[in-house]
């Protein structure tokens, strides 16, 4: 018989070890999945995890894509990690991402065709503001009226998608677009374009922001009282209450920062890789970022690494679609399995597994 | 616009059709939450049920078999959540989210060859006499089997929770798992059964979307129905008949906005299609601001038997 014994403190060793174990188990079960789908499992795993980075035919295209995909994931996941630590569950980052993009693109298009160095910084502020305001709705309803933030933030994703559909066919529609839905291409509007800082590296302003956010969040969590309050609220809510942590301030901070960062991610995406507001502008980064945050142990450096790994599965997945005709959804499944195995292997961090009876 | 094109009898009839998937999922989740477990994977279980039901129905030409398989497969699928949270003690919120993400991926993978096909649907039951009553007959007594079955499940759940010993044990486990454990009840086993029941009804609800309401398979076709079901459980204060009431109100809003779209209302389509979600938020806020009456005390808390 297996017996579980609760550890008094989480095992440090297992906290670092379990993500790697989860990745290995995911690769094995992924291999089994690909075998069922009639593919050579070793080839499929190689195409997803190795070829995008090292195959001479693809690497020149896919290496920059790694940063392009990882940037928004890291930005959003860092924001989410604050709330997840404190037990504030914002799962509507997708909606905040959309609103950030709409605000950012809306500001740029309002100035079109004026050229000014101020437009891009203003767009950054607008993008963060859009996501922030969208995150404030569940924050306010939670803090003042006790409404569950999980459900409210999620419902707002569908509302944001409707707004996106509305503006891409109406308010922000390209007047020179021959009636097709979708806004002007911001990449062709010099003052608003989110360009690569180093050419052919994939390193655009959003990726730089993501890296800065990693450092910023590390400092907040380890050196700042707000970071301490967040961790205290998550681990010992009663102690936090006695210590005078203001729960409302905590909720507003967590949803505000995750909303603002998701909004930024949306704005950088619409001004850069995507280029325009369209009906299907959002691609699920807001949901995948939840996996990134957990896989990274809600730790800034962990999120940086897991963001890069999940970005790799996106690119590898596209490559596998191209080379093997694997459906795109199999990557989504792959990412979900990774989360499951991580949650399962977390058992070892929280419990001692003993063999034998007592 | 032309309001006269909206027929109230048909409105009620289609309200029941549009509410049934959410009702099935919500009544299952109410039982799960009554046992003290918060499963946020309803959306994932529904869409797995939708795709499995569709595949079986198309291949066997037997929609009823599709429903049965959907319930079984979603029940098994929910066991991933059960094993992770109950035996491996993982975080319920994260695991539930994971279940939804995996369900969406898995269903897209399985359903790809079936995109664009039409499924056989359940025939409306021909109830003698009752079905012939003018207006009322069309409204209430000319539906397919699943609609009546969903109401039957609500009645069964109400009876089970209120009048049976097993139902009392389930509620005890949800209110205070440590005390229930001390009394010798098998907390984990009760919860696993509740989770499986929730999975099965969510699967039925999903299958109702792909086999009756639409009836077609498209990727991500549940479109948040599982999340709305979760909100309805809160709205209903975990009471079975109120779940039915909540689901029908929601169905009414959905049908009304679709009717308004069809009637060419001057409100833009996008605002109409976001209205069900906005109304869910508003209702949730109104209910929650009065305090969560009836929330099981152990809801979402992990259980570890120390002895």
């Amino acid at each position: 018989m297996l017996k579980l014994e609760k550890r008094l403190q989480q095992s440090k060793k297992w906290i670092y070890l379990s993500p790697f174990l989860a990745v290995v188990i995911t690769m094995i079960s992924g291999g089994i999945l690909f075998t069922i789908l009639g593919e050579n499992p070793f080839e499929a795993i190689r195409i997803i995890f190795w070829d995008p980075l090292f195959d001479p035919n693809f690497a020149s295209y896919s290496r920059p894509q790694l940063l392009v995909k990882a940037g928004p994931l890291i930005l959003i996941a860092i924001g989410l990690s604050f709330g997840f630590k404190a037990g504030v569950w914002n799962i509507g980052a997708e909606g905040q991402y959309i609103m950030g993009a709409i605000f950012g693109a809306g500001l740029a298009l309002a100035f079109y065709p004026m050229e000014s160095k101020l437009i891009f910084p203003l767009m950054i502020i607008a993008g963060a503001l859009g996501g922030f305001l969208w995150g404030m709705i569940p924050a306010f309803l939670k803090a003042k009226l006790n409404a569950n933030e999980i459900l409210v933030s999620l419902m707002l994703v569908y509302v944001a998608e409707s707004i996106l559909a509305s503006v891409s066919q109406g308010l922000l529609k390209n007047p020179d677009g021959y009636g097709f839905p979708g806004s002007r291409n911001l990449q062709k509007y010099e003052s608003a374009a989110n360009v690569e800082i180093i050419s052919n590296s994939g390193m655009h302003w959003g990726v730089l922001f993501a890296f800065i956010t990693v450092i910023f969040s590390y400092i907040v969590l380890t050196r700042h009282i707000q970071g301490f309050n967040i961790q205290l609220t998550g681990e010992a809510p009663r102690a936090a209450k006695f210590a005078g942590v203001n729960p409302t301030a905590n909720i507003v901070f967590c949803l505000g920062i995750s909303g603002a960062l998701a909004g930024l991610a949306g704005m950088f995406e619409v001004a850069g890789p995507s280029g325009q507001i369209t009906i299907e502008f959002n691609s699920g980064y807001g949901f995948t970022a939840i996996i990134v945050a957990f896989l990274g142990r809600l730790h800034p450096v962990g999120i940086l690494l897991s963001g890069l790994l999940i970005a790799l599965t996106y690119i590898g997945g596209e490559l596998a679609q191209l080379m093997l005709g694997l459906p795109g959804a199999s990557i989504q499944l792959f990412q979900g399995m990774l989360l499951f195995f991580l949650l399962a292997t977390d058992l070892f961090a929280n419990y001692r597994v003993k063999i034998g009876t007592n | 616009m032309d309001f006269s094109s909206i027929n109230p009898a048909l409105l009620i009839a289609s309200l029941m059709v549009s509410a049934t998937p959410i009702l099935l999922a919500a009544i299952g989740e109410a039982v799960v939450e009554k046992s003290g477990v918060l499963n946020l994977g309803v959306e994932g279980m529904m869409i797995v049920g939708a795709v499995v039901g569709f595949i079986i129905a198309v291949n066997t030409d037997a929609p009823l078999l599709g429903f049965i398989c959907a319930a079984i497969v979603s029940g098994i699928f929910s066991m991933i959540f059960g094993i992770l949270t109950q035996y491996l003690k993982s975080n319920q919120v994260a695991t539930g989210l994971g279940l939804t993400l995996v369900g969406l991926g898995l269903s897209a993978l399985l359903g790809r060859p079936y995109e664009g096909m039409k499924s056989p649907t359940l025939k409306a039951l021909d109830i003698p006499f009752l079905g012939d009553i003018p207006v009322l007959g069309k409204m209430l007594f000319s539906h397919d089997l699943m609609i009546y079955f969903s109401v039957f499940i609500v009645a069964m759940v109400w009876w089970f929770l209120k009048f049976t010993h097993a139902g009392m044990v389930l509620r005890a486990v949800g209110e205070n798992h440590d005390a229930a454990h001390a009394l010798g009840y098998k907390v984990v086993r009760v919860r696993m059964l509740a989770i499986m029941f929730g999975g099965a009804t969510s699967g039925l609800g999903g299958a109702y979307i792909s086999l009756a309401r639409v009836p077609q398979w498209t990727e991500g076709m549940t479109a948040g129905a599982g999340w709305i079901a979760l909100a309805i459980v809160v709205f209903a204060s975990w009471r079975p008949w109120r779940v039915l009431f909540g689901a029908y109100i929601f169905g009414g809003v959905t049908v009304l906005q679709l009717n308004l779209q069809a009637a060419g209302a001057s409100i833009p389509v996008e605002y109409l299609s976001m209205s069900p979600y906005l109304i869910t938020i508003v209702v949730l806020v109104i209910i929650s601001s009065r305090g969560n009456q009836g929330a099981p005390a152990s809801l979402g808390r992990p259980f570890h038997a120390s002895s």
Side-chain angles (χ1 to χ4, degrees), chain B residues 92-104:
Chain B
Q92 292 182 7
V93 174
T95 314
L97 286 174
L99 198 70
T100 290
L101 295 173
V102 167
L104 290 169

Side-chain angles (χ1 to χ4, degrees), chain A residues 65 68-69 72 97 101-102 105 164 168 182-188 192-195 204 265-283 285:
Chain A
Q65 281 295 311
V68 170
K69 298 264 195 284
Y97 173 86
I102 293 177
L164 177 69
S168 57
S183 71
R184 281 182 203 280
N185 195 328
L186 294 177
Q187 276 183 322
K188 298 197 178 121
N194 171 19
V195 288
H204 60 64
M267 177 263 146
F268 285 121
E269 193 69 16
V270 77
S274 156
Q276 58 175 162
I277 291 276
T278 54
I279 296 175
E280 58 275 345
F281 159 75
N282 59 319
S283 49
Y285 282 144

Side-chain angles (χ1 to χ4, degrees), chain A:
Chain A
M1 257 291 277
L2 290 176
K3 249 183 73 67
L4 297 180
E5 192 182 287
K6 196 162 174 54
R7 291 179 198 267
L8 291 173
Q9 253 189 332
Q10 281 196 324
S11 157
K12 273 262 152 50
K13 186 182 79 184
W14 273 105
I15 284 194
Y16 293 114
L17 217 57
S18 65
F20 293 98
L21 187 62
V23 170
V24 171
I25 302 177
T26 310
M27 283 200 188
I28 294 170
S29 16
I32 296 170
L33 178 78
F34 293 132
T35 314
I36 295 169
L37 288 170
E39 303 294 342
N40 177 346
F42 297 103
E43 201 194 337
I45 298 281
R46 196 201 72 218
I47 286 176
I48 294 172
F49 290 100
W50 183 264
D51 283 0
L53 297 179
F54 302 110
D55 186 284
N57 293 324
F58 307 118
S60 61
Y61 166 76
S62 32
R63 272 190 206 161
Q65 281 295 311
L66 191 68
L67 288 180
V68 170
K69 298 264 195 284
L73 287 173
I74 294 169
L75 257 179
I76 302 170
I78 290 276
L80 294 178
S81 70
F82 286 102
F84 290 178
K85 267 183 196 293
V88 177
W89 299 94
N90 174 14
I91 58 170
E94 186 80 2
Q96 294 139 18
Y97 173 86
I98 292 173
M99 293 316 278
I102 293 177
F103 268 57
L107 185 116
L109 293 170
F111 281 113
Y112 185 86
M114 194 180 101
E115 298 282 355
S116 160
K117 286 225 179 306
L118 286 174
I119 289 177
F120 195 65
L122 280 175
M123 282 168 69
I124 294 178
I125 296 169
L129 186 71
F132 173 81
L133 291 176
W134 210 240
M136 274 304 104
I137 300 173
F140 173 79
L141 296 179
K142 167 85 178 178
K144 291 284 162 225
L145 301 163
N146 192 32
N148 184 316
E149 81 280 12
I150 300 176
L151 295 172
V152 174
S153 64
L154 201 105
M155 290 294 141
L156 286 172
V157 174
Y158 296 98
V159 177
E161 279 177 350
S162 291
I163 295 176
L164 177 69
S166 166
V167 296
S168 57
Q169 296 168 46
L171 194 59
L172 299 182
K173 194 166 108 174
N174 183 359
D176 307 324
Y178 306 104
F180 286 106
S183 71
R184 281 182 203 280
N185 195 328
L186 294 177
Q187 276 183 322
K188 298 197 178 121
Y189 177 19
E190 206 183 313
S191 297
N194 171 19
V195 288
E196 282 188 320
I197 302 167
I198 309 163
S199 63
N200 287 326
S201 65
M203 178 87 173
H204 60 64
W205 287 100
V207 181
L208 182 68
F209 256 76
F211 291 153
I212 295 170
T213 314
V214 169
I215 299 165
F216 162 80
S217 114
Y218 185 81
I219 294 169
V220 169
L221 286 173
T222 56
R223 298 277 180 272
H224 196 274
I225 184 72
Q226 187 61 39
F228 176 75
N229 284 349
I230 284 171
Q231 269 158 354
L232 189 63
T233 313
E235 280 163 28
R238 267 169 66 80
K241 216 182 212 170
F242 290 127
V245 176
N246 180 347
T248 305
N250 232 354
I251 291 165
V252 168
F253 176 81
C254 290
L255 276 159
I257 197 157
S258 54
L261 290 177
L264 272 179
M267 177 263 146
F268 285 121
E269 193 69 16
V270 77
S274 156
Q276 58 175 162
I277 291 276
T278 54
I279 296 175
E280 58 275 345
F281 159 75
N282 59 319
S283 49
Y285 282 144
F287 293 113
T288 311
I290 297 171
I291 300 179
V292 173
F294 277 109
L295 190 63
R297 317 266 57 174
L298 308 180
H299 185 283
V301 179
I303 289 171
L304 178 70
L305 297 175
S306 69
L308 289 168
L309 177 70
I310 295 286
L312 181 62
T313 65
Y314 266 119
I315 303 157
E318 279 171 14
L319 202 58
Q321 247 174 301
L322 195 74
M323 304 286 291
L324 304 172
L326 280 179
S330 51
I331 286 309
Q332 212 182 341
L333 186 59
F334 216 80
Q335 294 167 346
M337 283 195 323
L338 191 56
L339 177 61
F340 274 160
F341 289 126
L342 180 80
L343 292 167
T345 48
D346 262 358
L347 175 79
F348 299 113
N350 294 320
Y351 293 87
R352 260 190 209 93
V353 180
K354 290 193 163 173
I355 301 169
T357 51
N358 52 328

